[in-house]
Amino acid sequence: THFLSALDWIALMLWSLDLIGSFFVGHYVGGFLEMRPLRIAIKYLKSNFILDLSLVLIDWTLVSVQDADVEELGIMRVGKTLRMTRALRMLHFLRLFKVMAFMKDLDNLLRSEGLRTCLGVVKLVVAIIVANHYIACAWYALGDSGAAGDATTSWLRALEATNDDRITFEYRYLTSLHWSLTQ
């Protein structure tokens, strides 16, 4: 859908800019802030650059494959490509380590106990949202696979059987999310 495609592009731009921006982020060496560009670049190249670059290249590849027509893929089988795409998307979990490190640095910068409490509450709310997203995805996958028995009895098949044109992917996902929140 257009909404999910836009989210893919936004994430792709964010992480691509993060890759470039990481060459300009100083670091502490022996209690002193290192801001010399060459030293910053060398440290980044020795630490997270390979991981960041490979994740960004995977993102660009996935977006290219998703935007390509089936005929343009040529020899590549579509089913195999989609399975590989899902497997490569699992590597995005590696970015959580970068986000967690950022949150820890942010927590260390805050001097106000009230702001630390607010940041803690925000982290908990985000964790609940992420957990419910994964539960919703699992519930959607269960309904899509028909693993709960006969494929005609899954909640997703019953919803699709109504032949309502308003039932979009977003509606089905939000239904899954609603189920995950109410359980």
Side-chain angles (χ1 to χ4, degrees):
T1 65
H2 296 294
F3 176 72
L4 294 177
S5 181
L7 285 180
D8 283 342
W9 277 102
I10 289 169
L12 179 60
M13 291 299 132
L14 171 83
W15 291 111
S16 297
L17 290 173
D18 178 67
L19 177 75
I20 296 166
S22 294
F23 281 102
F24 303 101
V25 176
H27 58 275
Y28 284 97
V29 177
F32 295 101
L33 181 61
E34 179 64 67
M35 291 300 294
R36 290 178 283 188
L38 182 60
R39 302 275 175 141
I40 293 170
I42 290 171
K43 178 164 182 354
Y44 181 53
L45 289 170
K46 287 181 177 179
S47 60
N48 293 335
F49 177 72
I50 299 296
L51 176 64
D52 290 348
L53 180 66
S54 55
L55 288 173
V56 168
L57 288 176
I58 287 170
D59 282 345
W60 278 103
T61 304
L62 292 176
V63 167
S64 299
V65 168
Q66 287 174 349
D67 289 344
D69 289 334
V70 175
E71 297 168 1
E72 291 178 11
L73 293 177
I75 300 173
M76 295 177 68
R77 291 189 346 224
V78 175
K80 187 175 183 180
T81 303
L82 291 176
R83 282 193 301 272
M84 183 177 64
T85 301
R86 286 188 208 119
L88 290 175
R89 284 198 179 273
M90 296 302 285
L91 292 176
H92 288 213
F93 286 120
L94 295 175
R95 289 196 172 126
L96 287 177
F97 294 114
K98 196 168 193 173
V99 172
M100 289 188 320
F102 171 76
M103 293 303 286
K104 184 178 177 185
D105 290 343
L106 183 61
D107 193 42
N108 289 336
L109 288 175
L110 296 177
R111 302 284 180 228
S112 166
E113 194 61 36
L115 284 176
R116 282 186 178 187
T117 303
C118 287
L119 181 63
V121 169
V122 167
K123 285 194 279 190
L124 289 173
V125 168
V126 168
I128 290 169
I129 291 170
V130 169
N132 277 292
H133 166 72
Y134 285 111
I135 292 169
C137 288
W139 181 244
Y140 186 93
L142 185 67
D144 194 36
S145 69
D150 185 16
T152 59
T153 61
S154 76
W155 72 272
L156 193 54
R157 299 291 180 257
L159 188 63
E160 289 171 348
T162 61
N163 291 328
D164 191 347
D165 291 338
R166 296 173 296 175
I167 299 177
T168 62
F169 173 77
E170 289 84 4
Y171 180 83
R172 295 187 309 256
Y173 169 75
L174 289 174
T175 302
S176 297
L177 186 62
H178 178 263
W179 178 87
S180 73
L181 290 169
T182 57
Q183 295 308 307

